[in-house]
Amino acid sequence: MKEIDIIPSTLKEAVERISELPGYGEKSARRLAVNLLDMPRGEAIQLIKTLLDMLERIHPCSECGLYTEEEICSICSSEERDRSVICVVEETFDAFAIEKTGKFNGLYHVIGGRLSPLEGITAEDLNIDKLVKRVETNNIKEVILATNPTVEGEATASYIYNLLKDKNILVSRIAYGLPFGAVLENADDFTLSKALEHKTII
Amino acid sequence: MKEIDIIPSTLKEAVERISELPGYGEKSARRLAVNLLDMPRGEAIQLIKTLLDMLERIHPCSECGLYTEEEICSICSSEERDRSVICVVEETFDAFAIEKTGKFNGLYHVIGGRLSPLEGITAEDLNIDKLVKRVETNNIKEVILATNPTVEGEATASYIYNLLKDKNILVSRIAYGLPFGAVLENADDFTLSKALEHKTII
C-alpha cells in the first residue's frame, strides 16, 4: 500500500520552526500549531499579527538594552531618574519586576543572559563591554548587580565585579532576601524590595 | 517617586493574546514573547510569517475535516483508498499517527474533539452530524471509532455508535492494545497497529 504523506507542508514547516524556540520539542510545537489552527481563524491571525507588530517595533534600548519601542527607553530618557546609579539585570523582565517595587530610581543595564559554560555562553555573548563603557564615560557612582541568585548569576556578578572594582565606584550585589536558586522574575514585590534595601557593598 | 510604566505596549498586547491560547498563563506567555524578541530578529519574523502562512493556507477538508491546504484533502481525493471505510478520530494529528502505521487504507473523519460535560463540549460542538450524513449518502460499509481510549473518548464513541447502529453498517471500536488513559497521538506505531488489527465489532 502506498503511504500518502498527509501532513500539509505549511503545518510541517510551522512545527519545525516552533521547535527551534527554547523549551519546545516536536510535540509541544505541534500542539501550539494545532491550537492556532483550532482557534477561530480571525483571532489566530490577530494573535500572529500582534506578534509580528511586536517584532517590528520592539528592540533593545541603545543605551541600556531594555526592550522598548523608542530609540532610547523611557527610563534612560527620563529626567527624574538618578543617572549615577546603574542596576544590572540579566533580562528585560527582571528590570520590569524591580520597577514594580517602586524602590529603585536609577538606570538599568540588561546584559541579556548569564555566563554559562555548559550552554556555551561566554562574556562575549553578553552586553557587558557596553556596561563598562557606560561606567567609564558617564558620571556613574554605583553599580548594583541584580543578576539572578543562582550559580550562573553569581558567577556573572563576580565576573562583572572584577571588571569594575578598580573604576573607583561603588559596586553592590542585590541582597540575599531571595532564596538561593530562585528566579528573580518570579519573586514577590516585598522580597524584592528587601533585597534592594539590604544590598551589600562588595 | 513616580513609577514609569516601562513595559512596551506591543509587548503587553502580545503577552495578553498569547495567554488566550490553551495551556498558557501570563508567565509562559511572557516567556514565549521574550524568547521571540531574544531570537535573531530575521529568524523570529520568519517563524511568525510561517505561522501566518499556515493560518492562511490550511483549513479543514470539506469532506472529512482533516487539516489540508486543498479544498479536498489528499486522502479524500485519492483513488487508491477504500472509500467504504471511515475511521473516526478526535483530531487531525490522530489521523496522522494512524496513517504512519501504514495499516489503514480507508478514509478519515475528524470530529474536532471529544464530548466533555466538564468543559461544556456537547455533540453540537463536534463534527458529528456531517459523519452521519456521509454514512447515509455514501456507500459506507464500516465505521471504525478511533477516539482516544479515555473516559471522554469512550463516551464519544458510544454516542456515535448509538447514532450509527441502525444504519445497517459495521461499527467497530479501535482495539484496546492501547493502555487506558493514554493519548492516541503519543502511541508507538506497533501498539497502534495492533489496536487497528484487533478492532472489535460492536
Side-chain angles (χ1 to χ4, degrees), chain B residues 50-94:
Chain B
T50 303
L51 295 180
L52 198 57
D53 198 34
M54 175 188 83
L55 289 171
E56 276 162 359
R57 293 173 63 176
I58 293 185
H59 50 87
C61 167
S62 61
E63 284 295 314
C64 73
L66 274 178
Y67 281 129
T68 175
E69 291 171 8
E70 317 297 329
E71 169 67 19
I72 305 287
C73 77
S74 53
I75 304 275
C76 286
S77 58
S78 166
E79 289 181 5
E80 293 175 30
R81 309 292 293 211
D82 181 348
R83 311 187 73 79
S84 69
V85 187
I86 291 179
C87 178
V88 176
V89 291
E90 295 182 14
E91 299 183 33
T92 281
F93 273 101
D94 297 332

Side-chain angles (χ1 to χ4, degrees), chain A residues 20-92:
Chain A
E20 289 165 13
L21 279 167
Y24 279 83
E26 198 198 327
K27 281 208 189 298
S28 49
R30 183 191 287 180
R31 189 49 46 206
L32 178 54
V34 169
N35 282 340
L36 283 170
L37 288 169
D38 285 346
M39 278 174 91
R41 201 50 55 99
E43 279 178 37
I45 289 177
Q46 196 49 53
L47 191 163
I48 295 306
K49 288 196 168 155
T50 302
L51 294 180
L52 198 57
D53 197 33
M54 175 188 83
L55 288 170
E56 276 163 359
R57 292 173 63 176
I58 293 185
H59 50 85
C61 167
S62 61
E63 285 293 314
C64 72
L66 275 178
Y67 281 129
T68 176
E69 290 173 7
E70 316 297 328
E71 167 67 19
I72 305 287
C73 77
S74 55
I75 303 275
C76 286
S77 59
S78 166
E79 289 181 5
E80 293 174 29
R81 308 293 292 210
D82 180 349
R83 310 188 73 79
S84 69
V85 188
I86 291 177
C87 179
V88 176
V89 292
E90 295 181 15
E91 298 183 33
T92 282

Side-chain angles (χ1 to χ4, degrees), chain A residues 3 13 25 30 35 49 73 77 80 82 93 97 109 120 124 149 152 177 186-188 197:
Chain A
E3 196 188 328
E13 205 191 326
R30 183 191 287 180
N35 282 340
K49 288 196 168 155
C73 77
S77 59
E80 293 174 29
D82 180 349
F93 272 101
H109 190 90
E124 285 72 48
E152 288 96 345
N186 297 341
D188 62 275
E197 272 167 35

